[in-house]
Amino acid sequence: MRRWALAGAAAALLATCPATASAAAPRITLHVKAAIAAKRGQLSLPGQRFVAVGAVTPFVAGDRVVVTLYHKSHKVAQRTVRLAGRAGARSGSYSVTLRAPRPGRYAVQAMKLVSAGLPRLDARGVSLFVVRPRVHSGQRGALVRYLQGRLAALHYVVPRSGVFDDGTALAVLTWRSAARMARTTVADAAVFRGLEAGRGRFHVRHPRDGHHVEARLDLQVVALIDHGQVQRLYHTSSGKATTPTVRGRFRVYSKTPGTNSEGMVDSSYFFRGYAIHGYASVPNFPASHGCLRVPIRYARAIFDWVRIGDVVWVES
């Protein structure tokens, strides 16, 4: 009789062990989602929003989490939020948006407040580096990749190498022209702020012309458009005051690959001798004899994209 009782107790113990083992210990997690991901951690720009997210296990409806941002042990910001989750869910989640006002190293911390039956829980802190928004020729790394990504998102032709090279400088020049800023290749705080604000977005004027080109002489920009959608944006140098570029609506009637006797590379003619073509000198101001000059490095790509019969708009 005693042997049967012991066997029953052992069976009952085995039945309860899996459930006991599967019960997760209370815990809280914290992750920071900043605009710039780097090898050494999360990077952000001064005043830029970032998000602190995480989860609490187990989930108890009504529980609250306090997220705090510190800079050199000084509290910069603090937010308290309630956990979100479905009834019966194993874990609840939280999300808080914060800003770091100036360059430096910050610490983000999260704490679940004490609640009925559950203790206070502290997440492992996360470091956030707020960097000065300026890059220079030859610089490489996460900040340059971020700059290139923002330019590419607005359809500026730019390398995605993480190196501030000549192609990136050209893209910055083109963006600054479109944003009506000084036509330089300087990528300073004003450029980063402008990109964050969505400045420099090219507005298509003639979406009904399908696969076409829009040249904006006031911006010194050539845009390749396909059915109302911007495909690529390039820097151009149009006609100088004594030999201005014709304005109006034209069609590409001839294409000449290679380099001609005038030094024009991969030319697409849209009116008499006026063409979109590559050239050795493409300054940041109108300097041509009437054509739309583009950097030689992009001449073939534009030549291949433009087709005979495509509309070319030249406007201010």
Side-chain angles (χ1 to χ4, degrees), residues 93 130 139 142 214 275 303:
S93 62
V130 178
Q139 185 172 331
E214 294 188 15
F303 181 86

Side-chain angles (χ1 to χ4, degrees), residues 67-89:
V67 179
T68 308
L69 179 67
Y70 290 97
H71 178 54
K72 295 181 179 180
S73 301
H74 298 290
K75 186 187 298 182
V76 176
Q78 188 173 77
R79 302 284 186 274
T80 302
V81 294
R82 292 185 182 276
L83 284 175
R86 301 188 308 273

Side-chain angles (χ1 to χ4, degrees), residues 30-33 50-54 67 94-98 108-110:
L30 170 65
H31 303 281
V32 169
K33 295 181 178 180
F50 68 91
V51 181
V53 299
V67 179
Y94 66 91
S95 176
V96 172
T97 300
L98 297 167
V108 186
Q109 297 183 358

Side-chain angles (χ1 to χ4, degrees), residues 209-231:
D209 277 323
H211 191 275
H212 71 286
V213 178
E214 294 188 15
R216 291 287 300 278
L217 304 187
D218 56 333
L219 306 178
Q220 294 291 278
V221 170
V222 166
L224 307 187
I225 313 295
D226 191 21
H227 294 87
Q229 301 298 315
V230 178
Q231 303 299 305

Side-chain angles (χ1 to χ4, degrees), residues 106-118:
Y106 291 76
V108 186
Q109 297 183 358
M111 172 187 66
K112 188 201 76 68
L113 298 174
V114 176
S115 62
L118 288 176

Side-chain angles (χ1 to χ4, degrees), residues 215-284:
R216 291 287 300 278
L217 304 187
D218 56 333
L219 306 178
Q220 294 291 278
V221 170
V222 166
L224 307 187
I225 313 295
D226 191 21
H227 294 87
Q229 301 298 315
V230 178
Q231 303 299 305
R232 306 176 209 158
L233 296 168
Y234 297 94
H235 168 62
T236 189
S237 177
S238 60
K240 56 190 174 183
T242 54
T243 54
T245 304
V246 292
R247 289 168 169 78
R249 184 179 186 270
F250 311 98
R251 287 189 181 273
V252 175
Y253 69 89
S254 178
K255 297 178 63 176
T256 305
T259 305
N260 67 14
S261 60
E262 303 296 327
M264 298 164 59
V265 181
D266 296 327
S267 305
S268 298
Y269 293 89
F270 56 88
F271 179 73
R272 297 179 182 171
Y274 295 86
I276 304 169
H277 66 84
Y279 202 68
S281 174
V282 188
N284 60 355

